[in-house]
Amino acid sequence: MSLLQDEFAHADGLRYLNHAAVAPWPKRATRAVQSFAEENWRLGARDYPDWLTVERRLRERLAKLLNAPTTADLALVKNTSEALSFVAFGLDWRAGDQVVISNQEFPSNRVVWEALKRYDVDTVQVSLDGSDPEGALLAACGPRTRLLSVSAVQYASGLRLDLQRLGKECRRRGVLFCVDAIQQLGALPFDAQAIDCAFAMADGHKWMLGPEGLGVFYCRIDLREQLKLHEYGWHMLEHPGDYERADWTPSRTARRFECGSPNMLGAMALEASLSLLEEVGMEQVAVALGERVQWLQEGLAKIPGTQLLSPLNPARRAGILSFRLDGWDNQTLFEQLRAKQVVCAQRGGGIRFSPHFYTEPRVIDETLALLRQMADA
Ligand SMILES: Cc1ncc(COP(=O)(O)O)c(C=O)c1O
């Protein structure tokens, strides 16, 4: 049995095309959680130093995945929304400041900026519908713009932005560049330094194949101390184990954003999941995922009545492909697919498919065959 068949032994007949929502775990993450549970049952936290070793490894893997300069630039967080909130409520806003976002953002990357209204900070939404979405975003950045925040890949359309272009231009204009990376990290290579972002964040439960509730927050070193802190506790201190010490300062590293005890159970799983992505290599993951999305796209295009809602240019997408089928309302189509064991999502006025690098050809072929039957019915 090949490595991937062993790692992803889904239930018979399951067609899992929903990694843009919540991904299945690889076997090694499942085993890591099982053995962590067993250890807690039998030994409690006797070997806590070993757990810290796993947590350290997780930070190293995340630093590699993001190409962060060091692990000191990363904090482990609850999820993407928490990290976005650290940025939004950490910056020192002036009345009249402006935040630019796109009109396709997932609520996490919209609501958090709109919540700044109370400080007289305006949020401007820019349409990504034209032929130059980056140009449109940059054109909306004026003298009042303090920050541009976008998803690397849009959750519904799957549109992938040219982050390097945005980052470079933001730097030139003195605008902070914030990237919700959840739909890219683990699907395609990501390079926080090359794109020159100020902040990037993602939870682990999508393309990184981890559990919900453990994510990563990258904060560029020059901005670390500029973010006001709103969560305090023992773990975020410069000397976290020195419980008797009366004086304290926040950690000089991004651990300052981690107030208390870590999500060690999540760390066990995510560390294992990321070890698989590392073993395969992110370049290879991206190639294999691209092939699967292309195959789905070509198959869908041959089914009469399908309208693709995602970009056709492979350079403009990652792992998401959304479509509509003439004569079908999305809810009915979604329910029928679900009844046939096709796990997908309804997003952005269509059905969203999101395979991953390991998705077996069978899954794609069978799904396309089912859709064709439905279209012919
Ligand atoms: C672009 C984007 N951002 C954020 C999230 C989720 O945020 P969180 O990690 O806070 O649950 C999603 C989930 O679908 C998403 O697609």
Side-chain angles (χ1 to χ4, degrees), residues 131-139 148 161-173 177 194-196 316:
S131 59
D132 181 15
E134 292 81 9
L137 286 163
L138 293 169
L148 169 68
L161 291 173
D162 181 345
L163 300 178
Q164 204 146 349
R165 176 173 167 204
L166 291 174
K168 189 170 169 207
E169 200 50 31
C170 280
R171 174 69 93 159
R172 196 179 69 75
R173 299 176 187 204
F177 183 36
I195 65 171
D196 201 5
R316 276 296 189 191

Side-chain angles (χ1 to χ4, degrees), residues 41-60:
W41 178 44
R42 308 282 292 176
L43 300 171
R46 187 192 70 182
D47 297 330
Y48 204 91
D50 293 345
W51 301 358
L52 289 176
T53 305
V54 176
E55 198 207 50
R56 237 183 338 266
R57 241 184 358 247
L58 168 63
R59 292 176 194 274
E60 283 159 11

Side-chain angles (χ1 to χ4, degrees), residues 20 79-82 106 108 151 153 155 180 182-183 203 205-206:
N79 45 47
T80 322
S81 308
E82 182 180 51
F106 191 74
S108 305
S151 294
V153 175
Y155 79 101
D180 173 344
I182 197 169
Q183 295 293 2
D203 198 279
H205 63 272
K206 299 185 191 288

Side-chain angles (χ1 to χ4, degrees), residues 242-352:
D242 198 350
Y243 305 135
E244 306 300 322
R245 195 174 171 136
D247 64 310
W248 58 271
T249 50
S251 167
R252 278 173 296 178
T253 76
R255 190 167 43 74
R256 59 178 38 224
F257 302 109
E258 301 173 8
C259 59
S261 298
N263 174 0
M264 200 58 92
L265 177 59
M268 294 289 156
L270 187 57
E271 192 278 329
S273 297
L274 293 186
S275 76
L276 175 64
L277 291 178
E278 247 184 57
E279 240 170 82
V280 176
M282 280 313 302
E283 294 294 339
Q284 187 49 39
V285 166
V287 168
L289 175 57
E291 284 167 4
R292 282 152 179 79
V293 173
Q294 183 65 24
W295 191 348
L296 263 175
Q297 180 199 307
E298 286 168 14
L300 286 171
K302 286 187 203 139
I303 298 172
T306 51
Q307 297 167 44
L308 283 167
L309 307 175
S310 298
L312 301 183
N313 175 359
R316 276 296 189 191
R317 62 185 189 216
I320 289 174
L321 202 62
S322 296
F323 67 97
R324 271 195 289 262
L325 189 56
D326 281 351
W328 286 79
D329 75 87
N330 291 321
Q331 182 63 24
T332 312
L333 187 54
F334 173 74
E335 282 166 14
Q336 297 235 356
L337 285 167
R338 189 177 160 74
K340 307 262 189 221
Q341 296 262 65
V342 178
V343 184
C344 57
Q346 261 193 87
R347 296 284 189 277
I351 299 292
R352 182 183 71 184

Side-chain angles (χ1 to χ4, degrees), residues 59-119:
R59 292 176 194 274
E60 283 159 11
R61 294 197 196 285
L62 285 167
K64 220 182 264 182
L65 197 64
L66 283 133
N67 194 29
T70 73
T71 54
D73 301 299
L74 302 180
L76 298 177
V77 291
K78 283 195 295 220
N79 45 47
T80 322
S81 308
E82 182 180 51
L84 283 163
S85 299
F86 285 161
V87 176
F89 291 91
L91 288 169
D92 191 16
W93 300 100
R94 295 171 301 245
D97 280 348
Q98 192 184 63
V99 173
V100 172
I101 62 172
S102 87
N103 66 340
Q104 294 190 15
E105 296 301 322
F106 191 74
S108 305
N109 192 29
R110 171 175 49 83
V111 169
V112 73
W113 311 116
E114 289 175 347
L116 296 173
K117 190 75 204 155
R118 74 181 90 150
Y119 305 116

Side-chain angles (χ1 to χ4, degrees), residues 6 15 30 33 60 80-81 90 100 147 153 218 224 241 266 308:
D6 186 41
R15 299 162 183 128
T30 311
V33 169
E60 283 159 11
T80 322
S81 308
V100 172
L147 182 135
V153 175
Y218 165 80
R224 197 181 294 159
L308 283 167

